[in-house]
Amino acid sequence: MRALLRNALPALLAATMAVACQTVQTTGGGTVGVDRGQMMMVSAQEVEQASAQQYQQVLAEARKQNALNRDAATVQRVRRIANRLIGQTGVFRKDAPAWQWEVNVLSSKELNAWCMAGGKIAIYTGLVDQLKLTDDEIAAVMGHEIAHALREHARERISKSVATGIGVSVAGALLGVGESGQSLMGQVAKVTFELPNSRLHETEADRIGIELAARAGFDPRAAVTLWDKMASRSAGAPPEWLSTHPSHASRQRDLNDYAQRVMPLYRQAGGRQ
């Protein structure tokens, strides 16, 4: 009986996941040519609603700690840069300029920034102040994070977790795998599915972010100097094949390449050489 179930497992898993799975094109390719189809098992609306709720919780907590938008000049600066980038998002998806965008600055020593589904952005003062970012470098950071939202990378990662969970739980039930066995299978699934795609997400966000910055009149070459600064703060990072981010050398090559590709867009936007 167990052998019969084992032989039937691939077909059963495929049938289970096919019920909810769909492949979508979240964005147009733009000049940088990011046009990969993405497997989705949860709706964009669900992810956006959850993101909006989580974002409000983050803001509420920051407000309690007097860490929300404390420096008016920095807030104005960041929002001005963000608005220029947001104005170019329609190149990749027509609905994006009409999203309910929010841009806030959190006082923290952490070197971080993010953009949740639907355009909920936060940038940390530690990133701006400690790395002494120029406007072009802030645009590189924010363009990268906005690109994650445009590509719906959070939705895709959630979908892959759902798919992996289905596979692991069904396999465990059919094959009699215990708790430790399921944990091992989960780690194998994580390395197999999540790590390579996470590196892919970072590369896609780099490329789209560079194009957004160039179209908005920010020097796309600032992405290179930005990640040089970031790399100087991350000595001892794991090798690329164990990391969710591309190696510094790989990233630098790609950033340089794509910055040159979009230089004509930067010039058309009135940027300086």
Side-chain angles (χ1 to χ4, degrees), residues 95-111:
D95 64 325
W99 285 358
Q100 298 300 306
W101 294 89
E102 294 186 56
V103 183
N104 290 284
V105 178
L106 306 182
S107 294
S108 169
K109 294 181 180 179
E110 193 174 344
L111 305 181

Side-chain angles (χ1 to χ4, degrees), residues 78-99 101 103 121 142-143 146 150 211-218 269:
V78 166
R79 287 179 174 171
R80 173 175 50 80
I81 294 169
N83 286 338
R84 286 171 58 179
L85 294 167
I86 291 166
Q88 301 302 319
T89 57
V91 170
F92 290 97
R93 49 186 301 167
K94 294 180 180 179
D95 64 325
W99 285 358
W101 294 89
V103 183
I121 301 173
M142 300 187 78
I146 288 170
L150 295 177
E211 181 167 340
L212 286 173
R215 289 182 178 277
F218 296 104

Side-chain angles (χ1 to χ4, degrees), residues 1-12 171 174-177:
M1 180 66 175
R2 178 131 343 142
L4 179 62
L5 291 175
R6 186 180 291 111
N7 292 334
L9 178 59
L12 180 57
L174 291 178
L175 302 180
V177 177

Side-chain angles (χ1 to χ4, degrees), residues 14-268:
T16 302
M17 289 189 288
V19 172
C21 179
Q22 59 176 321
T23 300
V24 301
Q25 291 287 128
T26 55
T27 65
T31 297
V32 294
V34 175
D35 58 1
R36 174 181 60 89
Q38 296 161 275
M39 184 198 75
M40 301 298 191
M41 296 185 71
V42 293
S43 73
Q45 183 179 15
E46 289 173 312
V47 176
E48 288 180 16
Q49 288 178 345
S51 296
Q53 292 171 352
Q54 180 63 33
Y55 189 69
Q56 292 307 314
Q57 289 183 13
V58 170
L59 297 187
E61 185 62 29
R63 193 174 290 110
K64 284 182 183 178
Q65 299 176 3
N66 191 30
L68 179 63
N69 297 329
R70 290 179 56 183
D71 184 343
T74 299
V75 174
Q76 183 179 21
R77 180 189 181 197
V78 166
R79 287 179 174 171
R80 173 175 50 80
I81 294 169
N83 286 338
R84 286 171 58 179
L85 294 167
I86 291 166
Q88 301 302 319
T89 57
V91 170
F92 290 97
R93 49 186 301 167
K94 294 180 180 179
D95 64 325
W99 285 358
Q100 298 300 306
W101 294 89
E102 294 186 56
V103 183
N104 290 284
V105 178
L106 306 182
S107 294
S108 169
K109 294 181 180 179
E110 193 174 344
L111 305 181
N112 200 11
W114 39 265
C115 180
M116 290 183 178
K120 308 304 184 186
I121 301 173
I123 188 168
Y124 293 37
T125 55
L127 185 65
V128 176
D129 297 339
Q130 292 183 46
L131 299 187
K132 296 180 171 55
L133 298 187
T134 65
D135 283 6
D136 291 322
E137 289 168 341
I138 292 176
V141 171
M142 300 187 78
H144 176 95
E145 299 305 330
I146 288 170
H148 280 307
L150 295 177
R151 288 291 290 163
E152 298 187 47
H153 283 154
R155 180 184 172 201
E156 187 177 11
R157 290 182 67 82
I158 292 168
S159 296
K160 290 188 177 182
S161 295
V162 169
T164 301
I166 290 173
V168 171
S169 61
V170 172
L174 291 178
L175 302 180
V177 177
E179 184 175 344
S180 61
Q182 287 204 31
S183 178
L184 176 60
M185 292 175 69
Q187 290 303 312
V188 170
K190 183 174 183 178
V191 172
T192 301
F193 295 109
E194 294 184 24
L195 292 182
N197 284 300
S198 185
R199 290 197 292 267
L200 177 58
H201 288 177
E202 287 298 304
T203 299
E204 289 182 344
D206 278 348
R207 294 174 181 179
I208 290 175
I210 280 175
E211 181 167 340
L212 286 173
R215 289 182 178 277
F218 296 104
D219 191 336
R221 295 167 295 189
V224 179
T225 61
L226 165 68
W227 293 113
D228 275 339
K229 291 180 179 181
M230 292 293 288
S232 70
R233 295 299 187 97
S234 58
E240 182 169 1
W241 58 276
L242 285 177
S243 174
T244 57
H245 288 58
S247 71
H248 178 57
S250 296
R251 192 168 220 159
Q252 289 293 77
R253 286 193 298 270
D254 201 68
L255 290 171
N256 273 305
D257 181 13
Y258 280 83
Q260 291 305 315
R261 294 190 192 194
V262 300
M263 282 299 290
L265 299 176
Y266 173 55
R267 289 192 288 268
Q268 289 171 18

